[in-house]
Amino acid sequence: MFKEFLKQFKNYEVDYEDYYIKVDANENLLDLPEELAKKIENVIVANLNNIRLYPEINSQTLINKLSQFYNLSYDNFVVGNGSDQLIQIIVQSTSTKNDTVLSLNPSFVMYKISSLLQEANWKGINWEDNWKLPIDEIIDTVNNNNSIKVLFIDTPNNPTGIAFNEDELSYLINKLRDILIVIDGAYSDYFENNYLGLCLKYKNTLLLKTFSKIGFAGIRCGYAIANKNIIEFLNKVKPPYNVNTLTHNIAIEILENFDLLKNNIEIIKNERQKYITKLSEKYNILDSKSNFIAIINENAHLLYDYLLQNKIKTKLFKLNNTKLLRITISDSIENDIIIDRLLKWK
């Protein structure tokens, strides 16, 4: 009845342990600014009667607002039910059973999952030992494998938090003009470069963005920015009515009041620096530009268990001989508790 490979396939999974502080999912854990929260409440009330109807088929009003926000054309955008759906659409529109999807290893796991569900191959390129972008290896891999159709690069990267500068990405794109390059900027609001110029300059480059990491993971809304040709192909695959009415209108309100979020973003960045400053003497902490920090430690699994015993839920990654503990940055009170526990370990 079902595809044979699904018998052994594992989708994205979330553990449900007992915890008091949850910092494992890279959400923005700060309360919404009161003024913005009230505006969103008004939007929900105003649109309650509209949920009996289908939403706009292509999120036209939201796309118009995005085009104003970025000062771009309507034809430069497509909106999805979270960037997860857009990743799936990208794989569906580029790759078939014998094709290959390329990404860093580690990086966002949905690149791999979407590829395998499409019955395409997935290949992960390991980071260099100094946690640098393996540009030459990526180029060599693509040049020696004509089945590769798309390359995903998340920057800042999940789970390391490392961000790439525009020059090295531009060099990489220039060398790989025959495949689609997706720059996933889910966390770029916490970094000084949003990579917008790259997707406007190059015909084979697309930028992914999301509302999830700035405080709105629950509305499930992401969008892609690219040239008209790329957007046209993605729209051929995108389901109709894929963004619900409440999400659509909340996203518009967020864009209209984005300045109200900037203080929260700055708080996260300052708290991130506090983690790095207080923990760097004891732990190997990567230079995160995101809303989380990553600790590299051969005993990260023990550190994970220790924090869980203290009712603190983090995210553990096992990468060949490397173990990584990812901690989402919360408010000052919870961050101080976590830092205190980390300093007391061993």
Side-chain angles (χ1 to χ4, degrees):
M1 183 182 297
F2 296 102
K3 294 179 178 179
E4 185 67 25
F5 84 94
L6 287 176
K7 291 181 179 179
Q8 307 299 324
F9 182 80
K10 287 189 177 182
N11 207 329
Y12 190 92
E13 296 179 344
V14 177
D15 296 325
Y16 294 94
E17 290 103 344
D18 182 26
Y19 52 78
Y20 171 68
I21 296 176
K22 182 180 184 296
V23 285
D24 66 328
N26 293 349
E27 300 135 322
N28 184 313
L29 298 174
L30 303 184
D31 290 336
L32 287 179
E34 186 175 343
E35 182 180 352
L36 180 57
K38 183 61 178 177
K39 288 177 180 290
I40 291 174
E41 181 182 345
N42 292 338
V43 167
I44 293 171
V45 171
N47 283 278
L48 278 179
N49 198 44
N50 293 329
I51 62 176
R52 61 197 170 89
L53 307 173
Y54 284 111
E56 292 183 13
I57 191 167
N58 286 316
S59 309
Q60 298 100 313
T61 306
L62 175 54
I63 290 179
N64 279 327
K65 185 59 63 176
L66 284 165
S67 66
Q68 294 170 21
F69 187 82
Y70 286 98
N71 195 26
L72 296 173
S73 168
Y74 179 96
D75 296 329
N76 291 130
F77 297 92
V78 61
V79 179
N81 183 2
S83 55
D84 290 1
Q85 184 185 46
L86 292 171
I87 291 166
Q88 183 180 23
I89 288 170
I90 289 166
V91 174
Q92 286 178 316
S93 60
T94 59
S95 306
T96 61
K97 190 170 183 177
N98 295 318
D99 292 326
T100 301
V101 174
L102 193 65
S103 68
L104 293 173
N105 183 37
S107 62
F108 186 33
V109 69
M110 290 307 298
Y111 311 143
K112 178 179 180 180
I113 289 173
S114 295
S115 305
L116 298 180
L117 286 174
Q118 187 64 17
E119 297 188 72
N121 300 308
W122 173 83
K123 181 174 178 58
I125 301 292
N126 293 330
W127 291 70
E128 294 181 357
D129 291 339
N130 55 359
W131 293 100
K132 297 293 184 182
L133 180 65
I135 294 177
D136 292 336
E137 184 175 355
I138 292 173
I139 293 171
D140 288 344
T141 300
V142 174
N143 288 339
N144 291 312
N145 186 346
N146 60 13
S147 75
I148 295 173
K149 305 301 181 184
V150 58
L151 164 66
F152 286 93
I153 297 182
D154 49 347
T155 175
N157 168 262
N158 176 20
T160 67
I162 293 172
F164 310 122
N165 66 59
E166 196 162 308
D167 288 341
E168 57 187 347
L169 289 177
S170 182
Y171 174 82
L172 182 64
I173 296 168
N174 267 309
K175 295 289 185 178
L176 303 176
R177 296 295 189 100
D178 295 329
I179 66 170
L180 179 65
I181 297 180
V182 178
I183 299 173
D184 189 343
Y187 301 94
S188 60
D189 289 294
Y190 299 97
F191 182 51
E192 58 269 16
N193 191 337
N194 64 11
Y195 306 102
L196 182 62
L198 293 174
C199 74
L200 300 178
K201 181 178 180 180
Y202 297 103
K203 294 181 178 180
N204 66 326
T205 304
L206 176 150
L207 175 65
L208 280 179
K209 293 280 289 181
T210 181
F211 291 94
S212 293
K213 308 307 176 184
I214 55 174
F216 301 94
I219 71 170
R220 307 308 301 130
C221 190
Y223 55 97
I225 310 174
N227 64 67
K228 180 179 179 180
N229 183 58
I230 291 175
I231 298 299
E232 283 182 350
F233 275 99
L234 298 184
N235 274 320
K236 291 176 184 290
V237 179
K238 183 188 74 65
Y241 310 118
N242 63 318
V243 177
N244 72 73
T245 296
L246 296 182
T247 289
H248 177 266
N249 287 284
I250 291 170
I252 290 171
E253 195 70 21
I254 295 167
L255 293 172
E256 290 179 344
N257 297 277
F258 197 85
D259 284 348
L260 296 178
L261 288 172
K262 290 183 178 179
N263 186 57
N264 268 10
I265 291 172
E266 287 304 312
I267 290 172
I268 294 294
K269 291 164 70 174
N270 290 335
E271 290 293 308
R272 179 180 71 198
Q273 186 56 49
K274 182 171 74 175
Y275 265 101
I276 294 171
T277 300
K278 292 192 173 185
L279 296 177
S280 288
E281 289 190 8
K282 183 168 183 176
Y283 294 100
N284 178 13
I285 299 181
L286 298 179
D287 184 23
S288 174
K289 301 297 182 184
S290 188
N291 68 337
F292 58 86
I293 59 112
I295 297 174
I296 304 296
N297 192 294
E298 62 181 4
N299 293 313
H301 59 297
L302 301 178
L303 183 55
Y304 172 88
D305 290 339
Y306 161 78
L307 290 173
L308 195 59
Q309 290 167 7
N310 284 271
K311 305 298 183 181
I312 300 170
K313 179 65 165 43
T314 60
K315 184 76 172 180
L316 177 66
F317 294 82
K318 298 177 182 179
L319 317 162
N320 299 323
N321 296 323
T322 301
K323 295 186 179 71
L324 182 153
L325 191 71
R326 192 190 69 195
I327 303 173
T328 306
I329 297 164
S330 184
D331 60 40
S332 180
I333 294 174
E334 290 193 347
N335 293 335
D336 286 344
I337 293 172
I338 296 167
I339 290 170
D340 178 69
R341 296 297 185 274
L342 288 169
L343 290 175
K344 289 180 177 176
W345 186 57
K346 289 190 175 182

